Amino acid sequence: MADTKPHLNLAFIGHVDHGKSTTVGRLMFETGAVDPHVIDEYKKEAASKGKATFEFAWVMDSLKEERERGVTIDIAHHRFDTAKYYFTVVDCPGHRDFVKNMITGASQADAAVLIVAVPDGVMAQTKEHVFLSRTLGVNQLVVAMNKIDATTPPYDEKRYNEVKEEVGKLLKMVGYKVDDIPFIPLSGLMGDNLAKASTNTPWYKGPTLLEALNNLKVPDKPTNLPLRVPVQDVYTISGVGTVPVGRVETGVMRKNDKIVFQPANVTGEVKSIEMHHEEVPEAFPGDNIGWNVRGVSKKDIRRGDVCGSVEKPPTVAKEFKAQIVVLQHPSAISAGYTPVFHCHTAQIACTLTAILAKLDPRSGAVKEENPAFIKAGDAAIIMVTPSKPMVIEPVKEIPQLGRFAIRDMGTTVAAGMCMSVVP
Ligand code: GDP
């Protein structure tokens, strides 16, 4: 049964036109996630438009169109399963809310497939997406060295090795352990090494893309970190009392635990925990829960507060240091800029009080100290002052509470992570 398999969220990243849609389309086809009848329809449509070959990108393009029209896509369209896992394909960087969804956890990717077209090699968005996935905490990667059929000569091992080295350098620079990452010479279009080992690449002995996906690991649940449950909402239920709801990010919550909400600085005790309308004795990372607290009234706490253990309470920042990547901004960002920071369930206006350094977006090395401004494509170290006390923690201590998106005028301007906190 498909739904008894463990589930992983998978992102496809890489430069435009390097073959993300084609590869996803073909994966869904090969794994039987796309109805053959639907494929026939696409083929007919392709023929009617004078296209000689059927391209799998059409499958994804039509999904893109649906998404742009605002149609809710049947989630099944975005899923496929392998022998071991059930995969959901999460949005790609470049789509409107990708970064925000990744940071707020709505679509946190457990792994990413980096697609690099071998004829082209590393391009601007390859670098951008690699840096972004590192910033967003995607720890597992598979590199699909795509369009191996389109090298000159086709299936060229020499060109493959050149690009492999180039990609390897990039991954190493941002901090990935390259030795653990499979590189696969692939043709998303022709199907080489996707579901079956290709006879066109006799020089390659590694896994197919499907095998590499099967070899991914289910990330460990961060149960050994201190308890953190960002509050999504707070209810008062008559006869029960105050019931905040939210998702456990780290640690374990147990009945009778002493807890504290920050920055409200209100303490209480867990009277009961409910998940899927059933009472449970304890809750783990990933669980969406409602928990009844003794000693706390609804007016004391609100969305954006974080419930934590009293022994290790959530960190409240009056100021913090962060590393950011500027994704899009029409002009330049300088000190004094006050956009909204989206961090766990909090949305708080924060002022960039200083830009300490501009970084090389690939290596993180300092390019310029105290720059007057930063622009789209830049990475930087900044100092931030929230307009009111805010829970944010250094990513080194609690990654789940250290990431944020910067939003302004309806778009995601930047993604970042907290390096240290000035209490
Ligand atoms: P995306 O922008 O990364 O989603 O790229 P697409 O999947 O839309 O592919 C861009 C173009 O490259 C399309 O014309 C595809 O047919 C072509 N393409 C994708 N994968 C391959 C491949 O493995 N080999 C060849 N020869 N062409 C490919």
Side-chain angles (χ1 to χ4, degrees), residues 300-335:
D300 293 336
I301 52 172
R302 56 195 54 79
R303 183 185 169 90
D305 285 353
V306 178
C307 170
S309 56
V310 239
E311 299 79 36
K312 281 227 158 109
T315 310
V316 180
K318 293 213 176 73
E319 195 186 3
F320 62 92
K321 191 197 245 184
Q323 181 172 330
I324 61 167
V325 200
V326 184
L327 301 165
Q328 48 187 350
H329 192 274
S331 52
I333 294 172
S334 48

Side-chain angles (χ1 to χ4, degrees), residues 15-22 55 57 64 146-147 149-150 186-189:
H15 195 72
V16 62
D17 277 348
H18 277 200
K20 296 181 292 295
S21 309
T22 305
E55 296 192 359
K64 265 186 218 162
N146 196 33
K147 306 198 186 183
D149 59 300
L186 187 90
S187 173
L189 189 65

Side-chain angles (χ1 to χ4, degrees), residues 266-400:
V266 180
T267 51
E269 196 182 303
V270 178
K271 243 160 76 180
S272 64
I273 308 169
E274 204 175 270
M275 184 163 70
H276 305 309
H277 308 289
E278 267 176 43
E279 201 173 321
V280 291
E282 47 192 7
F284 298 96
D287 291 352
N288 284 299
I289 57 168
W291 67 108
N292 179 210
V293 277
R294 185 183 288 135
V296 176
S297 103
K298 180 176 192 277
K299 64 176 175 25
D300 293 336
I301 52 172
R302 56 195 54 79
R303 183 185 169 90
D305 285 353
V306 178
C307 170
S309 56
V310 239
E311 299 79 36
K312 281 227 158 109
T315 310
V316 180
K318 293 213 176 73
E319 195 186 3
F320 62 92
K321 191 197 245 184
Q323 181 172 330
I324 61 167
V325 200
V326 184
L327 301 165
Q328 48 187 350
H329 192 274
S331 52
I333 294 172
S334 48
Y337 181 48
T338 307
V340 177
F341 278 53
H342 290 236
C343 183
H344 52 86
T345 56
Q347 299 182 10
I348 295 177
C350 298
T351 304
L352 274 68
T353 50
I355 304 170
L356 303 180
K358 192 152 99 180
L359 308 176
D360 184 317
R362 286 173 297 161
S363 63
V366 174
K367 264 183 20 190
E368 186 186 344
E369 294 205 28
N370 302 306
F373 59 84
I374 45 176
K375 293 196 302 202
D378 287 338
I381 306 272
I382 58 169
M383 291 303 300
V384 183
T385 303
S387 58
K388 55 183 183 186
M390 165 180 182
V391 169
I392 185 164
E393 312 203 48
V395 274
K396 283 212 178 95
E397 288 164 29
I398 306 190
Q400 292 77 359

Side-chain angles (χ1 to χ4, degrees), residues 36-357:
H37 162 80
V38 176
I39 297 284
D40 279 344
E41 292 298 311
Y42 282 116
K43 279 187 179 163
K44 270 187 224 153
E45 201 181 330
S48 75
K49 291 191 177 162
K51 292 217 174 198
T53 56
F54 160 69
E55 296 192 359
F56 288 96
W58 287 46
V59 178
M60 286 310 280
D61 281 350
S62 77
L63 295 180
K64 265 186 218 162
E65 275 166 32
E66 279 182 50
R67 183 157 45 207
E68 274 152 22
R69 285 206 312 270
V71 179
T72 316
I73 305 159
D74 181 350
I75 195 78
H77 277 157
H78 271 124
R79 292 188 158 200
F80 63 91
D81 62 320
T82 62
K84 201 164 146 198
Y85 294 121
Y86 218 147
F87 287 99
T88 300
V89 178
V90 304
D91 239 357
C92 296
H95 288 151
R96 220 155 38 97
D97 284 334
F98 175 77
V99 172
K100 195 186 98 182
N101 290 346
M102 282 283 286
I103 287 169
T104 55
S107 59
Q108 173 70 52
D110 299 305
V113 177
L114 169 64
I115 307 236
V116 185
V118 180
D120 302 327
V122 170
M123 302 289 273
Q125 288 168 329
T126 318
K127 295 175 191 169
E128 205 178 280
H129 292 179
V130 164
F131 194 69
L132 197 56
S133 54
R134 188 74 195 158
T135 307
L136 297 178
V138 180
N139 296 324
Q140 299 191 83
L141 277 189
V142 172
V143 183
M145 304 277 282
N146 196 33
K147 306 198 186 183
I148 195 68
D149 59 300
T151 51
T152 354
Y155 303 100
D156 187 33
E157 183 182 11
K158 190 162 155 273
R159 179 67 188 148
Y160 168 82
N161 282 326
E162 272 167 25
V163 178
K164 183 180 173 193
E165 202 181 312
E166 197 185 358
V167 177
K169 265 191 202 149
L170 170 68
L171 296 179
K172 214 168 175 174
M173 268 200 283
V174 305
Y176 281 109
K177 286 196 202 103
V178 181
D179 293 344
D180 301 343
I181 298 174
F183 285 70
I184 304 157
L186 187 90
S187 173
L189 189 65
M190 317 297 283
D192 296 281
N193 296 321
L194 192 130
K196 272 203 295 282
S198 171
T199 50
N200 294 316
T201 52
W203 41 267
Y204 175 72
K205 301 282 177 254
T208 61
L209 180 57
L210 273 184
E211 283 164 353
L213 293 177
N214 261 328
N215 291 340
L216 290 169
K217 294 189 182 71
V218 178
D220 289 338
K221 290 194 175 193
T223 47
N224 51 355
L225 291 176
L227 177 70
R228 297 293 185 259
V229 196
V231 175
Q232 265 155 23
D233 253 314
V234 189
Y235 299 96
T236 314
I237 297 175
S238 61
V240 178
T242 307
V243 180
V245 300
R247 186 181 56 205
V248 181
E249 291 293 345
T250 58
V252 183
M253 181 188 277
R254 294 191 175 84
K255 203 174 154 169
N256 302 324
D257 273 356
K258 299 255 189 307
I259 48 157
V260 58
F261 292 86
Q262 293 290 20
N265 197 24
V266 180
T267 51
E269 196 182 303
V270 178
K271 243 160 76 180
S272 64
I273 308 169
E274 204 175 270
M275 184 163 70
H276 305 309
H277 308 289
E278 267 176 43
E279 201 173 321
V280 291
E282 47 192 7
F284 298 96
D287 291 352
N288 284 299
I289 57 168
W291 67 108
N292 179 210
V293 277
R294 185 183 288 135
V296 176
S297 103
K298 180 176 192 277
K299 64 176 175 25
D300 293 336
I301 52 172
R302 56 195 54 79
R303 183 185 169 90
D305 285 353
V306 178
C307 170
S309 56
V310 239
E311 299 79 36
K312 281 227 158 109
T315 310
V316 180
K318 293 213 176 73
E319 195 186 3
F320 62 92
K321 191 197 245 184
Q323 181 172 330
I324 61 167
V325 200
V326 184
L327 301 165
Q328 48 187 350
H329 192 274
S331 52
I333 294 172
S334 48
Y337 181 48
T338 307
V340 177
F341 278 53
H342 290 236
C343 183
H344 52 86
T345 56
Q347 299 182 10
I348 295 177
C350 298
T351 304
L352 274 68
T353 50
I355 304 170
L356 303 180

